[in-house]
Amino acid sequence: DAEDCVHPSMETMRLGQQCGTTEQLHVCVRRDLKSLSSSLFKFGIDASTGQMYVTDNTLNFEGVSDSSSLKLRVRATDPSGAFSEIERSITISDQNEAPTISNQQGGMYTVDESFLSTTIHPSTGRRGVLADFIIIQDTDASDDFTTLRLELVSGDTIRPTFGFDSENYMVLLPGATLDYESISTYELQLRATDVGGAWSEKTFMINVNDINEPPSFTLPENAESFHWSIPENSILGTPVGGLITGTDPDAGTTLTY
């Protein structure tokens, strides 16, 4: 005759955590627990005490239909085999869950050091875009693309270099430059935050490709230009102007003149 009762159960309950109280079950001996929902094996029952418990790692509010309520049938059996059954409902209460971050390249980018914020990416056709967009998702119904916030929290502290456009593509900021000789790898920590304040982070790696860069000249000391004069009739081997010095940004390069 026991009426159907509802045990509020957090969707984040852990494996083996108690659900409800023994007294609420009104039975002495437990032999069987049958699930009437499509989500099987979420709960178990102690055959000697009648205490119900969680049997999977987590319960998922979003994964249960019928207003997130699970219906269970509990059977009590005595030593002679006589039994009776009652139906129980367990309502899973929603909890704010953190969003997730991913992208099609697995969080690894490779870009030439000559890449600029005005460079058009070959596959996306967008200016300054390093690669595919960052995917942020949240299972909670209150969160979607418009409510989730994506930000860069570490790895870009020397100077602002990277950011995101309106569609969550990672971009090179206007005026920023990449220099393999200065920084060849960026380890960026991205954070996604939902409206409830829950957040998660993921590391993205950006490897900068070395590009052969042309050398440049530096003016001799105290010189304002490369314009010099020399007296006529100067003998063979007379030095002309100051020492012309070239520099190359590529490490280990030997210049010839």
Side-chain angles (χ1 to χ4, degrees):
D1 297 329
E3 296 181 356
D4 189 33
C5 66
V6 175
H7 301 298
S9 177
M10 299 299 186
E11 64 174 318
T12 53
M13 285 183 69
R14 297 299 179 189
L15 180 67
Q17 188 170 345
Q18 177 176 314
C19 176
T21 62
T22 303
E23 291 75 12
Q24 287 178 300
L25 297 176
H26 306 291
V27 292
C28 298
V29 181
R30 294 299 176 211
R31 296 297 185 191
D32 196 13
L33 173 65
K34 298 179 180 179
S35 173
L36 302 183
S37 76
S38 59
S39 301
L40 300 176
F41 311 119
K42 288 186 175 296
F43 300 94
I45 192 167
D46 189 299
S48 59
T49 67
Q51 176 61 62
M52 293 175 60
Y53 56 88
V54 179
T55 57
D56 65 355
N57 286 329
T58 60
L59 301 176
N60 185 13
F61 174 88
E62 290 76 18
V64 180
S65 60
D66 191 21
S67 301
S68 298
S69 179
L70 297 174
K71 292 185 180 299
L72 307 175
R73 186 178 296 277
V74 182
R75 173 181 294 183
T77 308
D78 66 18
S80 65
F83 68 89
S84 63
E85 293 182 347
I86 57 173
E87 186 176 296
R88 297 294 186 185
S89 293
I90 298 180
T91 300
I92 301 175
S93 58
D94 192 17
Q95 301 291 295
N96 185 30
E97 296 165 288
T100 59
I101 309 173
S102 63
N103 84 315
Q104 295 180 352
Q105 293 176 284
M108 182 73 71
Y109 297 146
T110 299
V111 59
D112 292 341
E113 63 176 328
S114 58
F115 190 87
L116 301 173
S117 63
T118 55
T119 303
I120 297 178
H121 191 272
S123 64
T124 65
R126 303 167 71 93
R127 293 185 183 275
V129 169
L130 298 174
D132 292 323
F133 61 90
I134 309 297
I135 302 170
I136 49 176
Q137 296 175 309
D138 198 303
T139 58
D140 297 307
S142 59
D143 291 297
D144 59 24
F145 181 82
T146 61
T147 63
L148 299 174
R149 185 176 77 253
L150 182 64
E151 59 185 327
L152 182 59
V153 295
S154 67
D156 194 25
T157 57
I158 297 178
R159 60 180 181 272
T161 304
F162 305 101
F164 307 100
D165 67 8
S166 60
E167 296 186 22
N168 286 343
Y169 283 90
M170 184 176 287
V171 299
L172 190 69
L173 295 176
T177 58
L178 301 175
D179 182 24
Y180 174 87
E181 286 71 30
S182 298
I183 305 176
S184 60
T185 300
Y186 292 86
E187 186 172 332
L188 307 178
Q189 196 73 8
L190 276 60
R191 176 181 295 177
T193 307
D194 66 18
V195 292
W199 55 270
S200 64
E201 294 184 350
K202 182 177 178 62
T203 300
F204 280 69
M205 305 293 295
I206 297 181
N207 295 316
V208 180
N209 280 337
D210 189 18
I211 300 297
N212 185 28
E213 299 162 286
S216 59
F217 290 101
T218 56
L219 288 169
E221 187 177 358
N222 300 322
E224 296 181 357
S225 69
F226 289 107
H227 178 76
W228 297 298
S229 61
I230 185 172
E232 63 176 334
N233 300 321
S234 296
I235 64 173
L236 183 66
T238 300
V240 178
L243 183 65
I244 298 176
T245 304
T247 59
D248 196 300
D250 298 310
T253 302
T254 300
L255 300 178
T256 57
Y257 302 91

